[in-house]
């Protein structure tokens, strides 16, 4: 076996691995896209349905704010999944960079929320007790 054959075989193996990663990234981002679509659908349904959830949500204004949070998270997941799918399939560096920046932004927001929840844990537990008493 010559050096050229080993080099060609290694390149094929690397190409197969990258192709597998590409399709796995597409599948996982498609699932995120579907989850975001579902959250958007549920959020819109709760906002426009005059009989079902509207009565429950109108009883507690805090729950009504939760509907907008569901819509926001659904929209973000929808966009994130779409960018990830398109970027993975087309191997577009610009879409993948924007996808990475959104993931980084979400991670930093979660980190900041966790730090703030730890710092103000007494206030968070008081709010939880107040919600449970309603």
């Amino acid at each position: 076996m010559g050096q050229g054959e080993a080099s060609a075989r290694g390149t094929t193996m690397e190409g197969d691995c990258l192709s597998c990663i590409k399709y796995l990234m597409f599948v996982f981002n498609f699932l995120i896209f579907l989850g975001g679509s579902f959250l958007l659908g549920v959020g819109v349904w709760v906002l426009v349905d005059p009989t079902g959830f509207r009565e429950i949500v109108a009883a507690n204004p805090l729950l009504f704010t939760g509907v907008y949070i569901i819509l926001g998270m659904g929209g973000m997941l929808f966009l994130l999944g779409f960018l990830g799918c398109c970027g993975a399939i087309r191997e577009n560096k610009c879409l993948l960079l924007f996808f990475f920046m959104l993931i980084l932004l979400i991670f930093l927001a979660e980190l900041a929320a966790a730090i703030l929840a730890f710092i103000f844990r007494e206030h968070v537990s008081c709010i939880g007790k107040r919600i449970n008493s309603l």
Side-chain angles (χ1 to χ4, degrees):
M1 178 171 8
Q3 188 176 7
E5 292 175 26
S7 172
R9 191 177 68 194
T11 305
T12 304
M13 198 166 166
E14 288 173 4
D16 291 342
C17 184
L18 290 177
S19 178
C20 179
I21 290 172
K22 173 178 140 177
Y23 289 114
L24 280 174
M25 186 172 174
F26 173 79
V27 167
F28 287 125
N29 281 301
F30 186 70
L31 292 174
I32 290 171
F33 176 77
L34 288 178
S37 301
F38 176 75
L39 284 177
L40 275 174
V42 168
V44 169
W45 178 40
V46 168
L47 279 179
V48 298
D49 186 22
T51 57
F53 289 104
R54 190 90 188 231
E55 296 168 0
I56 298 169
V57 171
N60 190 351
L62 189 62
L63 291 177
F64 196 69
T65 306
V67 172
Y68 290 112
I69 292 173
I70 287 174
L71 282 172
M73 292 307 294
M76 174 109 33
L77 288 174
F78 182 85
L79 179 66
L80 193 66
F82 179 76
L83 289 174
C85 285
C86 290
I89 286 297
R90 299 186 66 188
E91 297 178 16
N92 188 331
K93 290 183 181 181
C94 183
L95 285 176
L96 288 174
L97 180 67
F98 192 63
F99 171 78
F100 169 74
M101 295 303 271
L102 272 176
I103 292 285
L104 182 65
L105 181 71
I106 291 170
F107 174 74
L108 291 175
E110 287 179 351
L111 183 65
I115 291 170
L116 288 173
F118 180 74
I119 291 172
F120 298 111
R121 60 184 171 269
E122 293 85 21
H123 299 293
V124 173
S125 64
C126 291
I127 292 171
K129 291 175 185 176
R130 196 174 313 153
I131 290 173
N132 288 334
S133 67
L134 293 176

